[in-house]
Amino acid sequence: MEPTETLRPAKAEKSELLKQAKAYVTQLFEEKLPKQLVYHSLDHTVAVVKEARKLGEDSGLSAPDQETLLLAAWFHDTGYTEVYDGHEYRSMELAKAWLTQQQYAPERIALVQDLIRATHRNEAGETELHQLLMDADMSGMGREDFFANAELLRAEWETTLGKTYSSTEWAESQLDFLHSAKFHTDAAKSRYGEQFKANLKEQRDLLKKTEKKKKKKDEEENGTFAEPKRGIETMFRTMYSNHMKLSDMADKKANMMISLNAVLLSVIITYLGAKAGTKSGVLSPTIVNNPVLTIPIGLLLATALGSVVSAILCAQPDVTSFKWLKKSPQIATNRRVNLLFFGNFSKLSLDDFQSGMTELMGKKDALYTNMVTDIYYLGDVLTRKYRLLRISYTIFMVGLILTALSFGIALLYKM
């Protein structure tokens, strides 16, 4: 038997060959197709085959051409199992290898390869079969599931190609795609024309809605200063309240140390001067008779004095200020100026203060800029207060320990 006689005729066992092609492609996709290809999946290939069959029937294709068209549809994306960009050319090789094993006619194998090549973005469809497969492959833009499939393609590009799009950017790209795309055959125009127009209109509306949402979001972000939100107001209210409480705590602790050390100083001075006479001079007879007690009493006196001085400095009013320069305009937006604090605005003339407050109420970010500056200055004052308070308590603690130790040593010395 001659080799040409063993080749499968175009019409012979058409349905069986297509079933075998379906089984082969299905198994190939299940085993080798990367999981991140959520758009160019088996479902997409099945949809293209379905649309190619209907377009071929509407165009009145002959049985051999219909079979060739469907075989090309089954194999047109098989190259994705090995390569992403330029997968069409790998699909041609896979189709040729499998069809050769099935003893399909060589001229028909070449035609299947030629049809698959036509689906590449840089190839032009010249024949009716080319255009039918191209229309079937792009039929999604004329179907109701266009937007759902578009999101799958977006996800696939992000995971496979690293291309990320904002909602607005994606809506713009899809609208550009619909504007530039077209169906080539009359069968496709008739089948998908109405839905294509509906999808185009819906995509325009979606872009407008997306741009409106983006604009609103930008206005909310940029307009937060002009129209304060509850969360931001709560944040500032909480911060002011916390600063005031901390300042009040520092003042109370400082006043406690002032009172305690003032009493201690009074007792020490009274004791040192008690029963002072002409023989003992200005000191108490106890000190004169026991000069070794001078050390612990002196330490206690120094402790009380150092602690009370630090506490007084802590409780002392501290007014932050700045050097105002007449050549510095835009008072309200100057980050170093706080018009909400008297220590700053008291340095200004009435006219400068009024103009600054007017600017403060008119600028978008001026109000919160001044509130942030005010909180910064409050924090600066609190830092100084608690540093001095810490010094006062440390002096008092260390001084008491040294006084007790020295007094114990003095007692041992006397014994």
Side-chain angles (χ1 to χ4, degrees):
M1 181 179 293
E2 295 294 330
T4 55
E5 294 179 358
T6 63
L7 296 178
R8 184 189 302 273
K11 294 183 180 181
E13 300 179 330
K14 179 188 65 174
S15 298
E16 184 62 28
L17 181 62
L18 291 175
K19 288 179 181 179
Q20 293 174 5
K22 177 182 178 180
Y24 172 76
V25 172
T26 299
Q27 183 179 2
L28 180 66
F29 274 36
E30 290 176 350
E31 294 177 354
K32 295 186 177 181
L33 188 69
K35 299 300 182 183
Q36 63 266 29
L37 300 191
V38 292
Y39 174 78
H40 292 101
S41 61
L42 180 62
D43 291 339
H44 169 71
T45 295
V46 171
V48 172
V49 172
K50 177 182 176 182
E51 299 302 325
R53 177 180 287 108
K54 292 182 178 179
L55 291 177
E57 292 173 354
D58 293 343
S59 300
L61 290 181
S62 63
D65 287 345
Q66 179 79 341
E67 181 185 63
T68 302
L69 176 64
L70 296 181
L71 287 172
W74 275 115
F75 280 90
H76 83 287
D77 275 349
T78 52
Y80 275 119
T81 58
E82 299 181 15
V83 64
Y84 197 87
D85 191 23
H87 68 277
E88 294 88 351
Y89 302 110
R90 183 55 186 152
S91 298
M92 293 166 58
E93 296 174 2
L94 292 172
K96 180 180 179 181
W98 187 81
L99 290 172
T100 300
Q101 291 179 355
Q102 305 304 313
Q103 298 183 339
Y104 199 54
E107 66 275 9
R108 286 290 166 177
I109 295 177
L111 182 55
V112 168
Q113 289 185 290
D114 194 41
L115 293 181
I116 295 175
R117 181 188 291 108
T119 61
H120 191 279
R121 59 181 177 273
N122 295 331
E123 298 288 344
E126 299 175 353
T127 67
E128 183 183 22
L129 283 177
H130 289 160
Q131 294 175 353
L132 285 172
L133 183 58
M134 292 167 62
D135 286 346
D137 193 22
M138 301 301 293
S139 61
M141 62 185 182
R143 300 201 307 264
E144 294 181 355
D145 58 357
F146 168 74
F147 295 97
N149 289 331
E151 288 303 315
L152 293 177
L153 181 61
R154 179 181 180 181
E156 180 178 306
W157 283 357
E158 288 181 358
T159 56
T160 305
L161 303 178
K163 294 182 178 180
T164 57
Y165 299 85
S166 65
S167 297
T168 303
E169 291 172 342
W170 183 251
E172 289 175 347
S173 69
Q174 290 301 99
L175 185 60
D176 291 340
F177 165 70
L178 291 177
H179 276 306
S180 61
K182 65 177 182 178
F183 291 110
H184 301 83
T185 62
D186 292 337
K189 293 175 182 177
S190 175
R191 181 172 177 79
Y192 310 117
E194 292 299 323
Q195 187 61 47
F196 175 77
K197 292 179 182 178
N199 290 342
L200 182 59
K201 181 179 182 301
E202 186 174 349
Q203 186 64 60
R204 287 198 193 98
D205 295 340
L206 181 61
L207 177 59
K208 291 179 181 178
K209 187 183 297 184
T210 304
E211 289 177 339
K212 187 176 180 180
K213 287 182 179 179
K214 183 177 182 297
K215 183 178 179 181
K216 184 178 180 180
K217 183 178 180 181
D218 292 341
E219 288 177 349
E220 288 178 352
E221 291 177 351
N222 298 328
T224 298
F225 299 118
E227 301 175 1
K229 298 300 179 182
R230 181 178 299 177
I232 296 178
E233 290 179 339
T234 302
M235 178 191 71
F236 277 109
R237 185 161 50 247
T238 302
M239 292 181 72
Y240 272 114
S241 176
N242 289 339
H243 278 73
M244 293 300 103
K245 289 178 180 178
L246 289 171
S247 181
D248 185 58
M249 287 172 57
D251 290 338
K252 287 181 179 179
K253 290 178 181 295
N255 288 331
M256 182 180 68
M257 293 301 294
I258 292 172
S259 300
L260 177 61
N261 286 286
V263 171
L264 190 58
L265 284 172
S266 299
V267 171
I268 295 173
I269 293 173
T270 301
Y271 176 76
L272 289 175
K275 299 180 181 181
T278 57
K279 293 183 178 181
S280 59
V282 296
L283 295 177
S284 171
T286 305
I287 301 298
V288 175
N289 297 329
N290 301 281
V292 72
L293 295 178
T294 304
I295 296 176
I297 293 177
L299 284 173
L300 186 60
L301 182 62
T303 296
L305 183 61
S307 182
V308 75
V309 169
S310 300
I312 290 172
L313 290 175
C314 174
Q316 183 182 19
D318 186 16
V319 178
T320 56
S321 61
F322 72 104
K323 185 177 181 181
W324 168 246
L325 301 176
K326 288 293 184 180
K327 63 181 180 180
S328 300
Q330 298 180 341
I331 303 173
T333 55
N334 190 333
R335 293 175 57 190
R336 299 186 62 83
V337 180
N338 178 19
L339 289 177
L340 305 180
F341 179 58
F342 76 93
N344 280 192
F345 68 70
S346 62
K347 306 295 182 181
L348 304 175
S349 66
L350 178 60
D351 291 338
D352 287 335
F353 177 67
Q354 288 177 338
S355 63
M357 289 300 292
T358 302
E359 183 183 358
L360 177 66
M361 293 182 289
K363 295 287 184 178
K364 284 186 176 182
D365 59 346
L367 175 61
Y368 283 174
T369 297
N370 274 262
M371 293 177 72
V372 170
T373 304
D374 191 32
I375 290 175
Y376 176 83
Y377 283 139
L378 287 174
D380 189 41
V381 171
L382 277 179
T383 301
R384 179 179 177 277
K385 278 181 176 290
Y386 276 90
R387 182 174 62 249
L388 290 171
L389 190 61
R390 187 187 196 89
I391 292 173
S392 177
Y393 273 83
T394 302
I395 291 174
F396 190 76
M397 178 184 66
V398 174
L400 287 181
I401 294 173
L402 293 177
T403 299
L405 290 175
S406 62
F407 186 74
I409 294 172
L411 287 178
L412 291 175
Y413 175 78
K414 290 294 290 182
M415 291 173 63

